[in-house]
Amino acid sequence: RQVTVQRKEKDFQGMLEYHKEDEALLIRNLVTELKPQTLAGTVPCLPAYILYMCIRHADYVNDDLKVHSLLTSTINGIKKVLKKHNDDFEMTTFWLSNTCRLLHCLKQYSGDEGFMTRNTAKQNEHCLKNFDLTEYRQVLSDLSIQIYQQLIKIAEGVLQPMIVSAMLENESIQGLCGVKPTGYRKRSSSMADGENSYCLEAIIRQMNCFHTVMCDQGLDPEITLQVFKQLFYMITAVTLNNLLLRKDVCSWSTGMQLRYNISQLEEWLRGKNLHQSGAVQTMEPLIQAAQLLQLKKKTPEDAEAICSLCTSLSTQQIVKILNLYTPLNEFEERVTVSFIRKIQAQLQERNDPQQLLLDYKHMFPVLFPFNPSSLTMDSIHIPACLNLEFLNEV
Amino acid sequence: VAPRPRPRVLLKAPTLAEMEEMTTSEEEESP
């Protein structure tokens, strides 16, 4: 008996066979009803590998209708589950990760030499034999973009209510509250001091949470980088837009607090090895706005310094911040009209955009670089918890 | 000389939007 089992394992060629009438059950157990937690501790993107092994068998027996049907049902199943869980970050990450992995598998095993450079000889044996699935790869790529957009929307929805209070209103630097501009009531975007008031720690905790989920679900690191670049852009845009509209936060002390908050975020990025994501660059206008609040604003040399420093802010934004700037106390002077005119004259030649506010809904285009897997199909084990006993290993 | 592999047959796929339309009309048809 033992010999039989060993022989069976040895003969497994990394394909999975099923009867056509079991396709709906396969999609239900592996896609629409599957909870990501069920697969904790298993190979990341296991559903994608299982689906590829099923496609490969249909290809092996030259059954084009079965390939068509399975891919269509898979894509529709993924769309259905995403629609049902459209505010679930973990579920959306799970399917982004799996959709991209299936896309990578269809490239890695396409037989196209350009995608086979890192394959082992064994992996080359697992390539498709009969069908070219280029058009389905395009559909999976389009689906990945849709899932990515859903993921960003969920993350932004969680972060957005925290941004203004955490970045502009919360005072974590000790002693800074004594040097706030006087004469303004404490204003909050979210009811003063209420339960909707957040500190920067809350944003960082939430980022940690997103990062852990993306790592656990085996999301391609290049995609994780793009997610954080997008989120940091949104934090920058919402913060800067508020700064440009609120006199009470245009002060030296807010500039100081803001610069401290940004440095905390930069430190977090470095700690997670995300500093090459371009996230810090998206914060540049905010970094400059914080510095502008702290710079001296009196002499021609000060004007020169402001103009050479604030290259990521438009003339309109610089002038607006200077106009809104509120002295801390009676010893600090307001920014004079002549100083602002001097700045405007110096920046005249810049071809700046006319709009004052940043488009906080702007999305950077996403890329899904090819990321082949070192796993071989015949090494993949299907756990019993998936209830896929009807799949035959071939 | 190893035999040249047979060229693979391109499987035509509907676009994502077309798939969406197909499933919507199927759902509408079913009671």
Side-chain angles (χ1 to χ4, degrees):
Chain A
R1 185 180 169 84
Q2 204 180 5
V3 173
T4 317
V5 170
Q6 278 177 350
R7 204 166 70 92
K8 196 179 171 213
E9 280 177 3
K10 196 183 160 206
D11 285 346
F12 179 42
Q13 297 170 70
M15 289 189 276
L16 294 169
E17 180 189 27
Y18 62 92
H19 295 292
K20 181 76 188 78
E21 53 272 25
D22 285 330
E23 184 194 274
L25 187 60
L26 171 66
I27 298 301
R28 201 180 74 194
N29 292 355
L30 195 60
V31 183
T32 51
E33 299 290 319
L34 181 62
K35 292 184 174 64
Q37 301 86 335
T38 309
L39 294 177
T42 64
V43 173
C45 302
L46 186 58
Y49 291 116
I50 294 175
L51 287 163
Y52 176 71
M53 288 192 280
C54 293
I55 293 165
R56 209 186 129 217
H57 186 266
D59 168 84
Y60 178 74
V61 296
N62 207 3
D63 189 341
D64 58 333
L65 289 178
K66 198 173 182 182
V67 176
H68 268 306
S69 181
L70 178 57
L71 277 165
T72 306
S73 303
T74 300
I75 291 161
N76 285 332
I78 295 171
K79 284 169 70 172
K80 190 177 165 189
V81 76
L82 287 165
K83 201 171 171 185
K84 190 175 167 190
H85 299 272
N86 65 358
D87 59 351
D88 185 333
F89 187 85
E90 187 182 23
M91 188 65 102
T92 308
T93 304
F94 178 76
W95 282 109
L96 179 57
S97 197
N98 275 285
T99 307
C100 287
R101 178 48 59 201
L102 183 56
L103 176 60
H104 297 324
C105 283
L106 293 188
K107 287 177 177 171
Q108 184 173 3
Y109 297 108
S110 62
D112 182 334
E113 283 177 14
F115 294 124
M116 291 163 68
T117 52
R118 282 153 68 184
N119 281 3
T120 60
K122 189 81 186 161
Q123 284 178 317
N124 283 339
E125 286 173 22
H126 293 165
C127 284
L128 299 172
K129 298 277 183 266
N130 290 306
F131 302 124
D132 173 348
L133 300 180
T134 310
E135 290 200 2
Y136 276 102
R137 292 203 315 246
Q138 185 58 50
V139 180
L140 287 172
S141 173
D142 292 346
L143 180 61
S144 301
I145 294 173
Q146 274 191 6
I147 308 174
Y148 175 83
Q149 287 169 339
Q150 177 165 316
L151 189 74
I152 295 294
K153 200 173 158 209
I154 297 169
E156 287 185 346
V158 175
L159 288 176
Q160 215 166 308
M162 303 178 178
I163 297 173
V164 175
S165 61
M167 294 294 286
L168 292 173
E169 294 171 349
N170 197 277
E171 294 143 5
S172 62
I173 303 177
Q174 288 204 339
L176 209 56
C177 43
V179 285
K180 292 281 286 179
T182 49
Y184 286 99
R185 273 185 301 132
K186 188 172 168 59
R187 196 181 124 178
S188 169
S189 55
S190 47
M191 310 304 216
D193 286 333
E195 58 198 45
N196 294 329
S197 178
Y198 298 93
C199 57
L200 191 73
E201 286 305 308
I203 288 191
I204 289 179
R205 259 199 310 275
Q206 193 55 58
M207 297 276 208
N208 274 328
C209 201
F210 291 148
H211 187 254
T212 304
V213 170
M214 290 190 276
C215 292
D216 288 352
Q217 300 303 341
L219 190 66
D220 290 334
E222 292 82 0
I223 304 178
T224 303
L225 290 177
Q226 293 175 79
V227 168
F228 282 108
K229 179 185 173 186
Q230 185 64 52
L231 295 180
F232 272 67
Y233 169 78
M234 198 263 304
I235 292 173
T236 295
V238 171
T239 310
L240 187 62
N241 286 352
N242 268 270
L243 192 75
L244 288 164
L245 296 172
R246 280 177 56 179
K247 206 173 170 126
D248 63 321
V249 289
C250 280
S251 66
W252 178 87
S253 58
T254 306
M256 177 95 165
Q257 181 68 53
L258 184 56
R259 191 66 194 92
Y260 175 74
N261 290 344
I262 294 167
S263 67
Q264 295 288 100
L265 291 174
E266 285 176 309
E267 199 173 305
W268 182 83
L269 285 169
R270 271 193 298 276
K272 297 289 178 201
N273 218 6
L274 297 166
H275 51 291
Q276 285 167 330
S277 60
V280 177
Q281 285 80 347
T282 69
M283 287 198 291
E284 195 53 34
L286 196 58
I287 294 170
Q288 292 182 6
Q291 288 168 330
L292 177 57
L293 292 173
Q294 292 182 278
L295 283 171
K296 280 197 229 154
K297 305 162 188 68
K298 204 171 177 183
T299 65
E301 291 75 31
D302 297 341
E304 192 81 46
I306 287 172
C307 293
S308 57
L309 179 88
C310 298
T311 51
S312 297
L313 291 171
S314 68
T315 307
Q316 212 187 347
Q317 289 166 335
I318 296 169
V319 169
K320 180 79 175 173
I321 292 172
L322 291 174
N323 271 320
L324 290 179
Y325 185 79
T326 309
L328 293 172
N329 49 44
E330 64 271 29
F331 302 111
E332 196 188 352
E333 291 169 24
R334 288 202 69 82
V335 184
T336 62
V337 174
S338 66
F339 185 84
I340 294 175
R341 292 236 170 93
K342 198 178 288 293
I343 295 264
Q344 276 173 315
Q346 284 197 33
L347 297 178
Q348 211 171 16
E349 285 178 10
R350 276 207 210 165
N351 216 352
D352 282 338
Q354 281 308 299
Q355 89 222 40
L356 176 71
L357 302 179
L358 294 184
D359 176 11
Y360 70 95
K361 289 188 173 169
H362 167 78
M363 286 272 286
F364 296 107
V366 61
L367 293 171
F368 303 113
F370 175 53
N371 180 14
S373 166
S374 57
L375 275 179
T376 30
M377 294 299 155
D378 54 4
S379 68
I380 290 168
H381 165 74
I382 302 174
C385 61
L386 280 173
N387 299 316
L388 299 174
E389 302 78 18
F390 55 89
L391 294 179
N392 298 316
E393 291 186 347
V394 177
Chain B
V1 180
R4 285 182 63 172
R6 217 155 34 96
R8 293 170 180 83
V9 176
L10 177 72
L11 286 199
K12 300 294 283 177
T15 64
L16 199 55
E18 285 164 350
M19 272 191 196
E20 185 114 26
E21 274 174 29
M22 283 189 280
T23 43
T24 315
S25 55
E26 273 169 27
E27 278 165 17
E28 279 168 4
E29 276 169 28
S30 64

